[in-house]
Amino acid sequence: MSAGGIPGSQDPRSQDPRSQDPRSQDPRSQDPRSQDRSEAGACVPAANAAARRAYLDHNATSPLKREARDAMLAALECVGNASSVHADGRAARARMEAARAHVARLVGAAPRGVVFTSGATEAAALALHPAVEMAGRPKPCDVLLMSVVEHPAVLRGHRFAAEAVEVLPVDGAGRVQLDALEETLARHAAAGRRALLALMAANNETGVVQPVAQAARLVKARDGVVFCDAVQAAGRLPLDMAALGVDFLSLSAHKMGGPQGTGALVAAGPDDRTPALIAGGGQERGRRAGTENGPAIAGFGAVADVARADLAEEAARLATLRDALERAVLAGVPDAEVIGSGAERLPNTSMLTFAGLRAETLVIALDLAHVSVSAGSACSSGKVGASHVLSAMGVPEDRAAGAIRLSLGWSSTRQDVDEAVAALQKVVPHLRSRAVRAA
């Protein structure tokens, strides 16, 4: 039966008999040993260990899926370096190549195009270099074009000279302006310059989906190259590199319920590449040196396989929960607004803003109410100032200052949504009242 009567909102953990134990509502507590951990090693501080938490920060990281954990534990039980030619090495290689095939299928690519990395940040840095090779032949790019709302890994992690970088504007919903892209491409083509475009599939803060296929057609018409940061879209939207028209695409395992610290750069063709970021041995066909993290890669492959198989059903379930969350907040909390609501968005992401409040204050207050959310990108936590994404969208400063991101995932339930809404209905008026008294 649907939780709370909403179709598609079944608790994915309810099939486990341990779910009858209130502690097991937190996916991190399913290991019975976790109840005996010291405060230093616990998932949450010991003082809060008995309290159920609503985790709505999947765009920062998603709890480890059982399939990933099982694959990782199985790999950890085995010895062997995937570069070794003996039987143990061949077995390690077989596990890694099986994972590579799963990752490739998730995005409609060939396994030989997948390069395993330490994460999507490294994958972006590997891809964004002027010395591109396509089908084994040089295709140098003179200028890097990227939207102003890209992730910091792209904005700051590329390997182009500063004077060879141009940032493209977005509209009020945060989508790249295609007319500006077309004009920029024409200007560079007239000067004999080839462009590499970096455009994310969907924004990590607002969830707004970018017109990647349309942009790619414009770039390819000028003989350019396209890189797509698909970190947030993987497992939430259908991804096919050929249909999108992209040449390189980055992925991160932990956004899908895999382990942290592993990701991939996927090339459309097996001989499409850029200069190695890490030199040394010949691992990953010479594209990324260093012994591969076999257990993490096994976990990555496992969640990629599950994400592909469950994509349609899970996307519909998450969209139902997200829509219920937004309706309840807009109906029950005065002066609340959903950022990007008029655009196509990821089914799991909601950026809410509350007039007169500061995001960091809201995040802390919700944390104390046992609800985990974030203020924009987790990769930019600790920064002072408004989100560069909201600023680029033209969101008024007072609204941008009070914006928080709630993101759902595989472990999210209707109970999580209800508890988040209840907390917001209590916390927001309290903080506003306190601000008035302090004024």
Side-chain angles (χ1 to χ4, degrees):
M1 180 180 294
S2 309
I6 290 186
S9 61
Q10 293 93 341
D11 185 340
R13 297 162 288 181
S14 63
Q15 303 304 314
D16 189 333
R18 293 174 294 179
S19 64
Q20 305 308 311
D21 181 348
R23 294 175 302 177
S24 68
Q25 295 299 316
D26 186 333
R28 296 163 296 183
S29 66
Q30 292 186 4
D31 180 352
R33 295 171 297 176
S34 65
Q35 305 305 316
D36 300 321
R37 292 174 184 158
S38 66
E39 180 175 353
C43 293
V44 294
N48 294 332
R52 184 193 185 279
R53 293 190 63 84
Y55 184 79
L56 279 74
D57 202 16
H58 284 256
N59 283 13
T61 196
S62 203
L64 192 69
K65 281 189 173 181
R66 185 193 71 250
E67 293 87 350
R69 181 193 62 196
D70 290 349
M72 293 173 71
L73 289 174
L76 284 166
E77 290 294 327
C78 301
V79 69
N81 185 315
S83 296
S84 299
V85 298
H86 50 62
D88 295 307
R90 295 196 303 274
R93 169 66 61 181
R95 288 190 297 273
M96 188 170 69
E97 294 309 317
R100 197 186 308 275
H102 288 315
V103 172
R105 278 196 291 269
L106 179 63
V107 297
R112 281 171 61 84
V114 176
V115 180
F116 287 118
T117 65
S118 64
T121 294
E122 182 190 333
L126 176 57
L128 299 177
H129 190 284
V132 177
E133 290 185 14
M134 305 295 288
R137 300 189 176 201
K139 190 173 183 177
C141 294
D142 307 288
V143 60
L144 172 63
L145 307 180
M146 52 187 175
S147 84
V148 67
V149 297
E150 295 301 305
H151 190 278
V154 170
L155 292 173
R156 298 198 291 268
H158 60 81
R159 295 186 282 169
F160 278 73
E163 60 271 18
V165 178
E166 190 164 345
V167 177
L168 301 168
V170 296
D171 62 20
R175 297 168 297 208
V176 69
Q177 294 184 15
L178 293 175
D179 55 350
L181 170 61
E182 189 168 22
E183 184 278 328
T184 303
L185 288 167
R187 174 165 43 84
H188 286 297
R193 293 188 290 267
R194 178 185 287 120
L196 192 165
L197 172 68
L199 184 62
M200 56 180 22
N203 189 261
N204 50 297
E205 295 187 23
T206 64
V208 169
V209 176
Q210 292 287 351
V212 175
Q214 298 95 310
R217 283 195 292 270
L218 295 175
V219 174
K220 295 304 180 67
R222 301 285 184 177
D223 194 33
V225 177
V226 182
F227 163 79
C228 180
D229 167 4
V231 168
Q232 297 295 347
R236 296 162 184 163
L237 293 177
L239 291 172
D240 183 278
M241 292 186 70
L244 290 172
V246 302
D247 301 294
F248 299 97
L249 179 148
S250 61
L251 298 170
S252 178
H254 74 101
K255 308 294 187 180
M256 296 185 284
Q260 296 179 7
T262 190
L265 176 65
V266 186
D271 295 317
D272 299 345
R273 61 191 299 161
T274 55
L277 182 65
I278 301 175
Q283 293 88 352
E284 298 301 287
R285 297 175 59 223
R287 295 173 293 180
R288 202 275 188 182
T291 299
E292 294 94 345
N293 186 344
I297 288 171
F300 188 7
V303 294
D305 189 39
V306 172
R308 181 181 59 84
D310 296 346
L311 177 61
E313 181 180 356
E314 180 66 355
R317 187 184 76 86
L318 293 176
T320 297
L321 290 176
R322 182 203 62 188
D323 293 347
L325 167 69
E326 292 179 353
R327 283 195 301 269
V329 170
L330 294 176
V333 182
D335 290 322
E337 181 183 343
V338 179
I339 301 294
S341 59
E344 181 185 0
R345 289 180 293 151
L346 293 173
N348 76 312
T349 304
S350 180
M351 177 158 259
L352 303 172
T353 180
F354 302 89
L357 296 180
R358 302 288 300 179
E360 55 267 36
T361 305
L362 268 170
V363 170
I364 293 170
L366 290 170
D367 184 36
L368 294 173
H370 310 299
V371 177
S372 297
V373 304
S374 64
S377 171
C379 301
S380 300
S381 61
K383 69 181 181 182
V384 177
S387 155
H388 76 282
V389 174
L390 300 187
S391 296
M393 292 170 62
V395 176
E397 188 175 345
D398 62 329
R399 283 284 181 182
I404 60 173
R405 182 188 67 192
L406 287 72
S407 50
L408 307 164
W410 71 269
S411 64
S412 300
T413 67
R414 180 57 195 266
Q415 185 177 357
D416 293 325
V417 168
D418 291 343
E419 290 177 1
V421 171
L424 284 166
Q425 289 174 334
K426 180 179 179 181
V427 163
V428 172
H430 172 72
L431 292 176
R432 284 176 173 158
S433 175
R434 193 171 69 180
V436 169
R437 291 196 302 270

